[in-house]
Amino acid sequence: MKDKKNIYLLYAISFLQGLVFYGPVATLYRQAAGVSVFQITVIESISLALCIALEMPWGLVADRIGYRKTMIITCGIYFISKVVFWKADGFGLFLLERLLLSVVMAGMSGCDLSILYLSCREEESQQVFGNYQSFGMAGLLLASLSYSVFIGENYRLAGFLTMAAYGVAAVLVFGLKEVKEPEKEKKSSMHFYRTFLDVVKDRYFLLGMVGITLLEETNQTITVFLNQLQYVKCGMEPKTMGYVFIIVTLSGIAGGIGSCRLNKKMGILPFTIVLFLCGGISCLVLFRTKNGLLSVLSIVFLRLASSLLGPLKARLQNCRVTSTDRATVLSIYAVIGEACGTGTNLIFGKAAAADLTYAMLWGSLLCTMGGVFFVISHLKMINNN
């Protein structure tokens, strides 16, 4: 390890920002405050669109002022967004919360992973990324247990506790050590343009990243928002949803921890093909079933597939960066992913508004497309090398 303190602090911040006490009922929370399912997906799409607009400017700022300062600013705004969520009532305030979150996601994107990558040895990076992801999931697990055992249907209490955890994370971030010297001279727009072109020219690598993103967006929409509608369709009580959420979160932790080991054992192509198949089949089962147990198992496997792919994606992207403007390059990757997410979210919302089963079928199609894209990308890159 190059800098254990940075790594451990980011693990702690990830854990605290994983303490989303309203997680098991995130959709029901919003519905109780007067927001419809379609409005939720519209908010998500607007949020992603703003992320796209802010990603590259934030990347340039991060490379200019340093990753530590960027993290301090974004964690502070993150805390404010949770204050807004706690008090939100109606479409407008929930939209404001998500717009603030867009600023955070765009700013933090690339910075946290850059600090981790530059604070450890390259061969350890996938495991470090997996641990970082797992600490976030562990926080979500504790929050889910607390929701099921203590909070119950007191949604506002869940919002307050979440806000408090993010406040502590905003304090801890001041302990980070800078891993990149801030730039003394402002780089020209032509320098950024060349960096952007270098990334875009790497089209086969980008195709593979888009493939993984399609599975990630399917996981995000189904296991965070549509899962609760599936559970209601199966006749599940809100308290039971909390316990199910714990099981799903455990699968996310297992994915983060096991990603590096399984990838080394199976090889990258068999490893990814299995995960894309797992995601696609899970969505197909959700498309067909009204059984509670099958629904839970399918959502667990979908979350597991995405969690196993996440650390691999982070390692592949960081290893691909050759420029000193690491945050800028990672922001460009994020823009491409978020552009995909904006479109998929709107279709998910429209499909779910018509019939939940259509949304699940759309998820299966996305996982299949993602797998095809990644296989083509991997094979083309091998042949080119």
Side-chain angles (χ1 to χ4, degrees), residues 176-200:
L176 289 173
K177 180 181 177 182
E178 184 58 75
V179 292
K180 180 185 187 294
E181 287 297 320
E183 295 170 2
K184 295 180 180 179
E185 295 183 3
K186 186 177 180 181
K187 293 180 179 177
S188 67
S189 57
M190 186 57 67
H191 175 82
F192 167 74
Y193 181 68
R194 284 196 296 269
T195 301
F196 180 79
L197 283 182
D198 286 342
V199 173
V200 174

mmCIF file with all atom_site columns, all heavy atoms in Angstrom, residues 176-200:
data_model
loop_
_atom_site.group_PDB
_atom_site.id
_atom_site.type_symbol
_atom_site.label_atom_id
_atom_site.label_alt_id
_atom_site.label_comp_id
_atom_site.label_asym_id
_atom_site.label_entity_id
_atom_site.label_seq_id
_atom_site.pdbx_PDB_ins_code
_atom_site.Cartn_x
_atom_site.Cartn_y
_atom_site.Cartn_z
_atom_site.occupancy
_atom_site.B_iso_or_equiv
_atom_site.pdbx_formal_charge
_atom_site.auth_seq_id
_atom_site.auth_comp_id
_atom_site.auth_asym_id
_atom_site.auth_atom_id
_atom_site.pdbx_PDB_model_num
ATOM 1   N N   . LEU A 1 176 ? -8.343  13.467 4.387   1.00 0.00 ? 176 LEU A N   1
ATOM 2   C CA  . LEU A 1 176 ? -7.672  12.915 3.206   1.00 0.00 ? 176 LEU A CA  1
ATOM 3   C C   . LEU A 1 176 ? -6.388  13.677 2.873   1.00 0.00 ? 176 LEU A C   1
ATOM 4   O O   . LEU A 1 176 ? -6.294  14.890 3.089   1.00 0.00 ? 176 LEU A O   1
ATOM 5   C CB  . LEU A 1 176 ? -8.605  12.956 1.988   1.00 0.00 ? 176 LEU A CB  1
ATOM 6   C CG  . LEU A 1 176 ? -9.791  11.995 1.978   1.00 0.00 ? 176 LEU A CG  1
ATOM 7   C CD1 . LEU A 1 176 ? -10.690 12.290 0.779   1.00 0.00 ? 176 LEU A CD1 1
ATOM 8   C CD2 . LEU A 1 176 ? -9.330  10.552 1.946   1.00 0.00 ? 176 LEU A CD2 1
ATOM 9   N N   . LYS A 1 177 ? -5.418  12.954 2.333   1.00 0.00 ? 177 LYS A N   1
ATOM 10  C CA  . LYS A 1 177 ? -4.163  13.558 1.882   1.00 0.00 ? 177 LYS A CA  1
ATOM 11  C C   . LYS A 1 177 ? -4.197  13.657 0.365   1.00 0.00 ? 177 LYS A C   1
ATOM 12  O O   . LYS A 1 177 ? -4.590  12.718 -0.324  1.00 0.00 ? 177 LYS A O   1
ATOM 13  C CB  . LYS A 1 177 ? -2.985  12.684 2.333   1.00 0.00 ? 177 LYS A CB  1
ATOM 14  C CG  . LYS A 1 177 ? -1.621  13.213 1.921   1.00 0.00 ? 177 LYS A CG  1
ATOM 15  C CD  . LYS A 1 177 ? -0.521  12.254 2.395   1.00 0.00 ? 177 LYS A CD  1
ATOM 16  C CE  . LYS A 1 177 ? 0.843   12.730 1.929   1.00 0.00 ? 177 LYS A CE  1
ATOM 17  N NZ  . LYS A 1 177 ? 1.925   11.785 2.342   1.00 0.00 ? 177 LYS A NZ  1
ATOM 18  N N   . GLU A 1 178 ? -3.759  14.783 -0.169  1.00 0.00 ? 178 GLU A N   1
ATOM 19  C CA  . GLU A 1 178 ? -3.747  14.982 -1.623  1.00 0.00 ? 178 GLU A CA  1
ATOM 20  C C   . GLU A 1 178 ? -2.746  14.039 -2.285  1.00 0.00 ? 178 GLU A C   1
ATOM 21  O O   . GLU A 1 178 ? -1.638  13.848 -1.801  1.00 0.00 ? 178 GLU A O   1
ATOM 22  C CB  . GLU A 1 178 ? -3.384  16.428 -1.953  1.00 0.00 ? 178 GLU A CB  1
ATOM 23  C CG  . GLU A 1 178 ? -3.446  16.749 -3.438  1.00 0.00 ? 178 GLU A CG  1
ATOM 24  C CD  . GLU A 1 178 ? -4.814  16.487 -4.044  1.00 0.00 ? 178 GLU A CD  1
ATOM 25  O OE1 . GLU A 1 178 ? -5.731  17.282 -3.800  1.00 0.00 ? 178 GLU A OE1 1
ATOM 26  O OE2 . GLU A 1 178 ? -4.958  15.458 -4.742  1.00 0.00 ? 178 GLU A OE2 1
ATOM 27  N N   . VAL A 1 179 ? -3.176  13.409 -3.395  1.00 0.00 ? 179 VAL A N   1
ATOM 28  C CA  . VAL A 1 179 ? -2.301  12.479 -4.112  1.00 0.00 ? 179 VAL A CA  1
ATOM 29  C C   . VAL A 1 179 ? -1.842  13.060 -5.442  1.00 0.00 ? 179 VAL A C   1
ATOM 30  O O   . VAL A 1 179 ? -1.056  12.459 -6.158  1.00 0.00 ? 179 VAL A O   1
ATOM 31  C CB  . VAL A 1 179 ? -3.024  11.131 -4.370  1.00 0.00 ? 179 VAL A CB  1
ATOM 32  C CG1 . VAL A 1 179 ? -3.267  10.391 -3.069  1.00 0.00 ? 179 VAL A CG1 1
ATOM 33  C CG2 . VAL A 1 179 ? -4.341  11.352 -5.121  1.00 0.00 ? 179 VAL A CG2 1
ATOM 34  N N   . LYS A 1 180 ? -2.368  14.222 -5.777  1.00 0.00 ? 180 LYS A N   1
ATOM 35  C CA  . LYS A 1 180 ? -2.000  14.878 -7.041  1.00 0.00 ? 180 LYS A CA  1
ATOM 36  C C   . LYS A 1 180 ? -1.775  16.361 -6.769  1.00 0.00 ? 180 LYS A C   1
ATOM 37  O O   . LYS A 1 180 ? -2.647  17.032 -6.217  1.00 0.00 ? 180 LYS A O   1
ATOM 38  C CB  . LYS A 1 180 ? -3.118  14.720 -8.083  1.00 0.00 ? 180 LYS A CB  1
ATOM 39  C CG  . LYS A 1 180 ? -2.805  15.373 -9.420  1.00 0.00 ? 180 LYS A CG  1
ATOM 40  C CD  . LYS A 1 180 ? -4.007  15.268 -10.353 1.00 0.00 ? 180 LYS A CD  1
ATOM 41  C CE  . LYS A 1 180 ? -3.670  15.762 -11.753 1.00 0.00 ? 180 LYS A CE  1
ATOM 42  N NZ  . LYS A 1 180 ? -3.378  17.200 -11.785 1.00 0.00 ? 180 LYS A NZ  1
ATOM 43  N N   . GLU A 1 181 ? -0.632  16.846 -7.168  1.00 0.00 ? 181 GLU A N   1
ATOM 44  C CA  . GLU A 1 181 ? -0.340  18.261 -6.985  1.00 0.00 ? 181 GLU A CA  1
ATOM 45  C C   . GLU A 1 181 ? -1.260  19.098 -7.879  1.00 0.00 ? 181 GLU A C   1
ATOM 46  O O   . GLU A 1 181 ? -1.402  18.800 -9.068  1.00 0.00 ? 181 GLU A O   1
ATOM 47  C CB  . GLU A 1 181 ? 1.122   18.563 -7.337  1.00 0.00 ? 181 GLU A CB  1
ATOM 48  C CG  . GLU A 1 181 ? 2.119   18.054 -6.316  1.00 0.00 ? 181 GLU A CG  1
ATOM 49  C CD  . GLU A 1 181 ? 1.938   18.702 -4.961  1.00 0.00 ? 181 GLU A CD  1
ATOM 50  O OE1 . GLU A 1 181 ? 1.681   19.931 -4.917  1.00 0.00 ? 181 GLU A OE1 1
ATOM 51  O OE2 . GLU A 1 181 ? 2.030   17.989 -3.946  1.00 0.00 ? 181 GLU A OE2 1
ATOM 52  N N   . PRO A 1 182 ? -1.907  20.118 -7.313  1.00 0.00 ? 182 PRO A N   1
ATOM 53  C CA  . PRO A 1 182 ? -2.742  20.995 -8.147  1.00 0.00 ? 182 PRO A CA  1
ATOM 54  C C   . PRO A 1 182 ? -1.911  21.634 -9.266  1.00 0.00 ? 182 PRO A C   1
ATOM 55  O O   . PRO A 1 182 ? -0.735  21.942 -9.073  1.00 0.00 ? 182 PRO A O   1
ATOM 56  C CB  . PRO A 1 182 ? -3.225  22.061 -7.154  1.00 0.00 ? 182 PRO A CB  1
ATOM 57  C CG  . PRO A 1 182 ? -3.110  21.414 -5.810  1.00 0.00 ? 182 PRO A CG  1
ATOM 58  C CD  . PRO A 1 182 ? -1.920  20.497 -5.900  1.00 0.00 ? 182 PRO A CD  1
ATOM 59  N N   . GLU A 1 183 ? -2.529  21.834 -10.423 1.00 0.00 ? 183 GLU A N   1
ATOM 60  C CA  . GLU A 1 183 ? -1.817  22.403 -11.562 1.00 0.00 ? 183 GLU A CA  1
ATOM 61  C C   . GLU A 1 183 ? -1.584  23.898 -11.358 1.00 0.00 ? 183 GLU A C   1
ATOM 62  O O   . GLU A 1 183 ? -2.483  24.622 -10.935 1.00 0.00 ? 183 GLU A O   1
ATOM 63  C CB  . GLU A 1 183 ? -2.631  22.164 -12.843 1.00 0.00 ? 183 GLU A CB  1
ATOM 64  C CG  . GLU A 1 183 ? -2.763  20.686 -13.185 1.00 0.00 ? 183 GLU A CG  1
ATOM 65  C CD  . GLU A 1 183 ? -3.763  20.448 -14.312 1.00 0.00 ? 183 GLU A CD  1
ATOM 66  O OE1 . GLU A 1 183 ? -4.294  21.450 -14.831 1.00 0.00 ? 183 GLU A OE1 1
ATOM 67  O OE2 . GLU A 1 183 ? -4.005  19.290 -14.654 1.00 0.00 ? 183 GLU A OE2 1
ATOM 68  N N   . LYS A 1 184 ? -0.379  24.340 -11.636 1.00 0.00 ? 184 LYS A N   1
ATOM 69  C CA  . LYS A 1 184 ? -0.035  25.752 -11.448 1.00 0.00 ? 184 LYS A CA  1
ATOM 70  C C   . LYS A 1 184 ? -0.467  26.588 -12.649 1.00 0.00 ? 184 LYS A C   1
ATOM 71  O O   . LYS A 1 184 ? -0.748  27.768 -12.533 1.00 0.00 ? 184 LYS A O   1
ATOM 72  C CB  . LYS A 1 184 ? 1.471   25.892 -11.215 1.00 0.00 ? 184 LYS A CB  1
ATOM 73  C CG  . LYS A 1 184 ? 1.926   25.227 -9.910  1.00 0.00 ? 184 LYS A CG  1
ATOM 74  C CD  . LYS A 1 184 ? 3.422   25.388 -9.710  1.00 0.00 ? 184 LYS A CD  1
ATOM 75  C CE  . LYS A 1 184 ? 3.867   24.733 -8.408  1.00 0.00 ? 184 LYS A CE  1
ATOM 76  N NZ  . LYS A 1 184 ? 5.343   24.855 -8.199  1.00 0.00 ? 184 LYS A NZ  1
ATOM 77  N N   . GLU A 1 185 ? -0.512  25.953 -13.802 1.00 0.00 ? 185 GLU A N   1
ATOM 78  C CA  . GLU A 1 185 ? -0.891  26.689 -15.001 1.00 0.00 ? 185 GLU A CA  1
ATOM 79  C C   . GLU A 1 185 ? -2.160  26.095 -15.597 1.00 0.00 ? 185 GLU A C   1
ATOM 80  O O   . GLU A 1 185 ? -2.325  24.879 -15.659 1.00 0.00 ? 185 GLU A O   1
ATOM 81  C CB  . GLU A 1 185 ? 0.230   26.627 -16.043 1.00 0.00 ? 185 GLU A CB  1
ATOM 82  C CG  . GLU A 1 185 ? 1.512   27.327 -15.604 1.00 0.00 ? 185 GLU A CG  1
ATOM 83  C CD  . GLU A 1 185 ? 2.571   27.297 -16.690 1.00 0.00 ? 185 GLU A CD  1
ATOM 84  O OE1 . GLU A 1 185 ? 2.269   26.783 -17.790 1.00 0.00 ? 185 GLU A OE1 1
ATOM 85  O OE2 . GLU A 1 185 ? 3.682   27.783 -16.443 1.00 0.00 ? 185 GLU A OE2 1
ATOM 86  N N   . LYS A 1 186 ? -3.036  26.987 -15.999 1.00 0.00 ? 186 LYS A N   1
ATOM 87  C CA  . LYS A 1 186 ? -4.275  26.556 -16.622 1.00 0.00 ? 186 LYS A CA  1
ATOM 88  C C   . LYS A 1 186 ? -3.996  26.014 -18.021 1.00 0.00 ? 186 LYS A C   1
ATOM 89  O O   . LYS A 1 186 ? -3.314  26.653 -18.818 1.00 0.00 ? 186 LYS A O   1
ATOM 90  C CB  . LYS A 1 186 ? -5.254  27.728 -16.707 1.00 0.00 ? 186 LYS A CB  1
ATOM 91  C CG  . LYS A 1 186 ? -6.629  27.332 -17.215 1.00 0.00 ? 186 LYS A CG  1
ATOM 92  C CD  . LYS A 1 186 ? -7.560  28.529 -17.199 1.00 0.00 ? 186 LYS A CD  1
ATOM 93  C CE  . LYS A 1 186 ? -8.943  28.134 -17.711 1.00 0.00 ? 186 LYS A CE  1
ATOM 94  N NZ  . LYS A 1 186 ? -9.862  29.303 -17.716 1.00 0.00 ? 186 LYS A NZ  1
ATOM 95  N N   . LYS A 1 187 ? -4.531  24.822 -18.294 1.00 0.00 ? 187 LYS A N   1
ATOM 96  C CA  . LYS A 1 187 ? -4.303  24.224 -19.605 1.00 0.00 ? 187 LYS A CA  1
ATOM 97  C C   . LYS A 1 187 ? -5.304  24.763 -20.619 1.00 0.00 ? 187 LYS A C   1
ATOM 98  O O   . LYS A 1 187 ? -6.431  25.105 -20.282 1.00 0.00 ? 187 LYS A O   1
ATOM 99  C CB  . LYS A 1 187 ? -4.395  22.702 -19.505 1.00 0.00 ? 187 LYS A CB  1
ATOM 100 C CG  . LYS A 1 187 ? -3.266  22.101 -18.680 1.00 0.00 ? 187 LYS A CG  1
ATOM 101 C CD  . LYS A 1 187 ? -3.369  20.600 -18.587 1.00 0.00 ? 187 LYS A CD  1
ATOM 102 C CE  . LYS A 1 187 ? -2.204  20.016 -17.781 1.00 0.00 ? 187 LYS A CE  1
ATOM 103 N NZ  . LYS A 1 187 ? -2.296  18.567 -17.614 1.00 0.00 ? 187 LYS A NZ  1
ATOM 104 N N   . SER A 1 188 ? -4.892  24.784 -21.855 1.00 0.00 ? 188 SER A N   1
ATOM 105 C CA  . SER A 1 188 ? -5.731  25.355 -22.910 1.00 0.00 ? 188 SER A CA  1
ATOM 106 C C   . SER A 1 188 ? -6.893  24.420 -23.236 1.00 0.00 ? 188 SER A C   1
ATOM 107 O O   . SER A 1 188 ? -6.873  23.228 -22.932 1.00 0.00 ? 188 SER A O   1
ATOM 108 C CB  . SER A 1 188 ? -4.901  25.582 -24.172 1.00 0.00 ? 188 SER A CB  1
ATOM 109 O OG  . SER A 1 188 ? -4.489  24.335 -24.715 1.00 0.00 ? 188 SER A OG  1
ATOM 110 N N   . SER A 1 189 ? -7.921  25.008 -23.877 1.00 0.00 ? 189 SER A N   1
ATOM 111 C CA  . SER A 1 189 ? -9.061  24.208 -24.313 1.00 0.00 ? 189 SER A CA  1
ATOM 112 C C   . SER A 1 189 ? -8.630  23.174 -25.345 1.00 0.00 ? 189 SER A C   1
ATOM 113 O O   . SER A 1 189 ? -9.224  22.098 -25.453 1.00 0.00 ? 189 SER A O   1
ATOM 114 C CB  . SER A 1 189 ? -10.150 25.116 -24.900 1.00 0.00 ? 189 SER A CB  1
ATOM 115 O OG  . SER A 1 189 ? -9.619  25.887 -25.963 1.00 0.00 ? 189 SER A OG  1
ATOM 116 N N   . MET A 1 190 ? -7.589  23.470 -26.097 1.00 0.00 ? 190 MET A N   1
ATOM 117 C CA  . MET A 1 190 ? -7.074  22.529 -27.092 1.00 0.00 ? 190 MET A CA  1
ATOM 118 C C   . MET A 1 190 ? -6.520  21.284 -26.406 1.00 0.00 ? 190 MET A C   1
ATOM 119 O O   . MET A 1 190 ? -6.664  20.160 -26.917 1.00 0.00 ? 190 MET A O   1
ATOM 120 C CB  . MET A 1 190 ? -5.987  23.190 -27.934 1.00 0.00 ? 190 MET A CB  1
ATOM 121 C CG  . MET A 1 190 ? -5.491  22.323 -29.096 1.00 0.00 ? 190 MET A CG  1
ATOM 122 S SD  . MET A 1 190 ? -6.830  21.811 -30.212 1.00 0.00 ? 190 MET A SD  1
ATOM 123 C CE  . MET A 1 190 ? -7.292  23.399 -30.917 1.00 0.00 ? 190 MET A CE  1
ATOM 124 N N   . HIS A 1 191 ? -5.912  21.453 -25.227 1.00 0.00 ? 191 HIS A N   1
ATOM 125 C CA  . HIS A 1 191 ? -5.398  20.299 -24.473 1.00 0.00 ? 191 HIS A CA  1
ATOM 126 C C   . HIS A 1 191 ? -6.553  19.380 -24.074 1.00 0.00 ? 191 HIS A C   1
ATOM 127 O O   . HIS A 1 191 ? -6.467  18.153 -24.217 1.00 0.00 ? 191 HIS A O   1
ATOM 128 C CB  . HIS A 1 191 ? -4.651  20.783 -23.233 1.00 0.00 ? 191 HIS A CB  1
ATOM 129 C CG  . HIS A 1 191 ? -4.204  19.664 -22.334 1.00 0.00 ? 191 HIS A CG  1
ATOM 130 N ND1 . HIS A 1 191 ? -3.062  18.927 -22.550 1.00 0.00 ? 191 HIS A ND1 1
ATOM 131 C CD2 . HIS A 1 191 ? -4.785  19.124 -21.224 1.00 0.00 ? 191 HIS A CD2 1
ATOM 132 C CE1 . HIS A 1 191 ? -2.943  18.000 -21.621 1.00 0.00 ? 191 HIS A CE1 1
ATOM 133 N NE2 . HIS A 1 191 ? -3.978  18.098 -20.797 1.00 0.00 ? 191 HIS A NE2 1
ATOM 134 N N   . PHE A 1 192 ? -7.638  19.989 -23.595 1.00 0.00 ? 192 PHE A N   1
ATOM 135 C CA  . PHE A 1 192 ? -8.803  19.180 -23.240 1.00 0.00 ? 192 PHE A CA  1
ATOM 136 C C   . PHE A 1 192 ? -9.375  18.487 -24.473 1.00 0.00 ? 192 PHE A C   1
ATOM 137 O O   . PHE A 1 192 ? -9.756  17.310 -24.417 1.00 0.00 ? 192 PHE A O   1
ATOM 138 C CB  . PHE A 1 192 ? -9.881  20.055 -22.595 1.00 0.00 ? 192 PHE A CB  1
ATOM 139 C CG  . PHE A 1 192 ? -11.207 19.355 -22.485 1.00 0.00 ? 192 PHE A CG  1
ATOM 140 C CD1 . PHE A 1 192 ? -11.412 18.365 -21.538 1.00 0.00 ? 192 PHE A CD1 1
ATOM 141 C CD2 . PHE A 1 192 ? -12.239 19.662 -23.356 1.00 0.00 ? 192 PHE A CD2 1
ATOM 142 C CE1 . PHE A 1 192 ? -12.623 17.699 -21.454 1.00 0.00 ? 192 PHE A CE1 1
ATOM 143 C CE2 . PHE A 1 192 ? -13.452 19.011 -23.279 1.00 0.00 ? 192 PHE A CE2 1
ATOM 144 C CZ  . PHE A 1 192 ? -13.645 18.030 -22.317 1.00 0.00 ? 192 PHE A CZ  1
ATOM 145 N N   . TYR A 1 193 ? -9.442  19.217 -25.579 1.00 0.00 ? 193 TYR A N   1
ATOM 146 C CA  . TYR A 1 193 ? -9.984  18.651 -26.811 1.00 0.00 ? 193 TYR A CA  1
ATOM 147 C C   . TYR A 1 193 ? -9.177  17.428 -27.253 1.00 0.00 ? 193 TYR A C   1
ATOM 148 O O   . TYR A 1 193 ? -9.743  16.411 -27.654 1.00 0.00 ? 193 TYR A O   1
ATOM 149 C CB  . TYR A 1 193 ? -9.979  19.723 -27.901 1.00 0.00 ? 193 TYR A CB  1
ATOM 150 C CG  . TYR A 1 193 ? -10.532 19.267 -29.227 1.00 0.00 ? 193 TYR A CG  1
ATOM 151 C CD1 . TYR A 1 193 ? -11.886 18.959 -29.375 1.00 0.00 ? 193 TYR A CD1 1
ATOM 152 C CD2 . TYR A 1 193 ? -9.698  19.129 -30.335 1.00 0.00 ? 193 TYR A CD2 1
ATOM 153 C CE1 . TYR A 1 193 ? -12.395 18.540 -30.596 1.00 0.00 ? 193 TYR A CE1 1
ATOM 154 C CE2 . TYR A 1 193 ? -10.199 18.709 -31.561 1.00 0.00 ? 193 TYR A CE2 1
ATOM 155 C CZ  . TYR A 1 193 ? -11.544 18.412 -31.682 1.00 0.00 ? 193 TYR A CZ  1
ATOM 156 O OH  . TYR A 1 193 ? -12.046 17.985 -32.890 1.00 0.00 ? 193 TYR A OH  1
ATOM 157 N N   . ARG A 1 194 ? -7.832  17.521 -27.130 1.00 0.00 ? 194 ARG A N   1
ATOM 158 C CA  . ARG A 1 194 ? -6.977  16.382 -27.496 1.00 0.00 ? 194 ARG A CA  1
ATOM 159 C C   . ARG A 1 194 ? -7.222  15.204 -26.557 1.00 0.00 ? 194 ARG A C   1
ATOM 160 O O   . ARG A 1 194 ? -7.251  14.050 -26.994 1.00 0.00 ? 194 ARG A O   1
ATOM 161 C CB  . ARG A 1 194 ? -5.504  16.809 -27.468 1.00 0.00 ? 194 ARG A CB  1
ATOM 162 C CG  . ARG A 1 194 ? -5.084  17.654 -28.667 1.00 0.00 ? 194 ARG A CG  1
ATOM 163 C CD  . ARG A 1 194 ? -3.558  17.715 -28.779 1.00 0.00 ? 194 ARG A CD  1
ATOM 164 N NE  . ARG A 1 194 ? -2.963  18.386 -27.613 1.00 0.00 ? 194 ARG A NE  1
ATOM 165 C CZ  . ARG A 1 194 ? -2.713  19.679 -27.546 1.00 0.00 ? 194 ARG A CZ  1
ATOM 166 N NH1 . ARG A 1 194 ? -2.997  20.470 -28.571 1.00 0.00 ? 194 ARG A NH1 1
ATOM 167 N NH2 . ARG A 1 194 ? -2.161  20.201 -26.461 1.00 0.00 ? 194 ARG A NH2 1
ATOM 168 N N   . THR A 1 195 ? -7.366  15.494 -25.278 1.00 0.00 ? 195 THR A N   1
ATOM 169 C CA  . THR A 1 195 ? -7.648  14.427 -24.302 1.00 0.00 ? 195 THR A CA  1
ATOM 170 C C   . THR A 1 195 ? -8.963  13.742 -24.637 1.00 0.00 ? 195 THR A C   1
ATOM 171 O O   . THR A 1 195 ? -9.071  12.514 -24.618 1.00 0.00 ? 195 THR A O   1
ATOM 172 C CB  . THR A 1 195 ? -7.710  15.006 -22.880 1.00 0.00 ? 195 THR A CB  1
ATOM 173 O OG1 . THR A 1 195 ? -6.469  15.634 -22.567 1.00 0.00 ? 195 THR A OG1 1
ATOM 174 C CG2 . THR A 1 195 ? -7.986  13.909 -21.854 1.00 0.00 ? 195 THR A CG2 1
ATOM 175 N N   . PHE A 1 196 ? -9.982  14.548 -24.944 1.00 0.00 ? 196 PHE A N   1
ATOM 176 C CA  . PHE A 1 196 ? -11.295 14.012 -25.287 1.00 0.00 ? 196 PHE A CA  1
ATOM 177 C C   . PHE A 1 196 ? -11.217 13.126 -26.528 1.00 0.00 ? 196 PHE A C   1
ATOM 178 O O   . PHE A 1 196 ? -11.786 12.026 -26.564 1.00 0.00 ? 196 PHE A O   1
ATOM 179 C CB  . PHE A 1 196 ? -12.280 15.156 -25.515 1.00 0.00 ? 196 PHE A CB  1
ATOM 180 C CG  . PHE A 1 196 ? -13.666 14.709 -25.881 1.00 0.00 ? 196 PHE A CG  1
ATOM 181 C CD1 . PHE A 1 196 ? -14.542 14.250 -24.915 1.00 0.00 ? 196 PHE A CD1 1
ATOM 182 C CD2 . PHE A 1 196 ? -14.094 14.720 -27.211 1.00 0.00 ? 196 PHE A CD2 1
ATOM 183 C CE1 . PHE A 1 196 ? -15.824 13.826 -25.245 1.00 0.00 ? 196 PHE A CE1 1
ATOM 184 C CE2 . PHE A 1 196 ? -15.359 14.299 -27.562 1.00 0.00 ? 196 PHE A CE2 1
ATOM 185 C CZ  . PHE A 1 196 ? -16.233 13.850 -26.571 1.00 0.00 ? 196 PHE A CZ  1
ATOM 186 N N   . LEU A 1 197 ? -10.503 13.589 -27.552 1.00 0.00 ? 197 LEU A N   1
ATOM 187 C CA  . LEU A 1 197 ? -10.371 12.814 -28.784 1.00 0.00 ? 197 LEU A CA  1
ATOM 188 C C   . LEU A 1 197 ? -9.638  11.496 -28.541 1.00 0.00 ? 197 LEU A C   1
ATOM 189 O O   . LEU A 1 197 ? -10.000 10.456 -29.113 1.00 0.00 ? 197 LEU A O   1
ATOM 190 C CB  . LEU A 1 197 ? -9.636  13.627 -29.853 1.00 0.00 ? 197 LEU A CB  1
ATOM 191 C CG  . LEU A 1 197 ? -10.429 14.706 -30.583 1.00 0.00 ? 197 LEU A CG  1
ATOM 192 C CD1 . LEU A 1 197 ? -9.558  15.372 -31.644 1.00 0.00 ? 197 LEU A CD1 1
ATOM 193 C CD2 . LEU A 1 197 ? -11.683 14.115 -31.241 1.00 0.00 ? 197 LEU A CD2 1
ATOM 194 N N   . ASP A 1 198 ? -8.610  11.516 -27.686 1.00 0.00 ? 198 ASP A N   1
ATOM 195 C CA  . ASP A 1 198 ? -7.864  10.295 -27.376 1.00 0.00 ? 198 ASP A CA  1
ATOM 196 C C   . ASP A 1 198 ? -8.781  9.242  -26.746 1.00 0.00 ? 198 ASP A C   1
ATOM 197 O O   . ASP A 1 198 ? -8.672  8.047  -27.044 1.00 0.00 ? 198 ASP A O   1
ATOM 198 C CB  . ASP A 1 198 ? -6.709  10.609 -26.415 1.00 0.00 ? 198 ASP A CB  1
ATOM 199 C CG  . ASP A 1 198 ? -5.562  11.341 -27.108 1.00 0.00 ? 198 ASP A CG  1
ATOM 200 O OD1 . ASP A 1 198 ? -5.499  11.294 -28.355 1.00 0.00 ? 198 ASP A OD1 1
ATOM 201 O OD2 . ASP A 1 198 ? -4.746  11.969 -26.403 1.00 0.00 ? 198 ASP A OD2 1
ATOM 202 N N   . VAL A 1 199 ? -9.687  9.697  -25.878 1.00 0.00 ? 199 VAL A N   1
ATOM 203 C CA  . VAL A 1 199 ? -10.616 8.773  -25.221 1.00 0.00 ? 199 VAL A CA  1
ATOM 204 C C   . VAL A 1 199 ? -11.629 8.236  -26.224 1.00 0.00 ? 199 VAL A C   1
ATOM 205 O O   . VAL A 1 199 ? -11.880 7.032  -26.292 1.00 0.00 ? 199 VAL A O   1
ATOM 206 C CB  . VAL A 1 199 ? -11.345 9.464  -24.045 1.00 0.00 ? 199 VAL A CB  1
ATOM 207 C CG1 . VAL A 1 199 ? -12.429 8.553  -23.476 1.00 0.00 ? 199 VAL A CG1 1
ATOM 208 C CG2 . VAL A 1 199 ? -10.353 9.850  -22.950 1.00 0.00 ? 199 VAL A CG2 1
ATOM 209 N N   . VAL A 1 200 ? -12.203 9.125  -27.014 1.00 0.00 ? 200 VAL A N   1
ATOM 210 C CA  . VAL A 1 200 ? -13.250 8.732  -27.965 1.00 0.00 ? 200 VAL A CA  1
ATOM 211 C C   . VAL A 1 200 ? -12.703 7.811  -29.056 1.00 0.00 ? 200 VAL A C   1
ATOM 212 O O   . VAL A 1 200 ? -13.406 6.914  -29.542 1.00 0.00 ? 200 VAL A O   1
ATOM 213 C CB  . VAL A 1 200 ? -13.907 9.986  -28.576 1.00 0.00 ? 200 VAL A CB  1
ATOM 214 C CG1 . VAL A 1 200 ? -14.884 9.607  -29.676 1.00 0.00 ? 200 VAL A CG1 1
ATOM 215 C CG2 . VAL A 1 200 ? -14.624 10.784 -27.503 1.00 0.00 ? 200 VAL A CG2 1
#
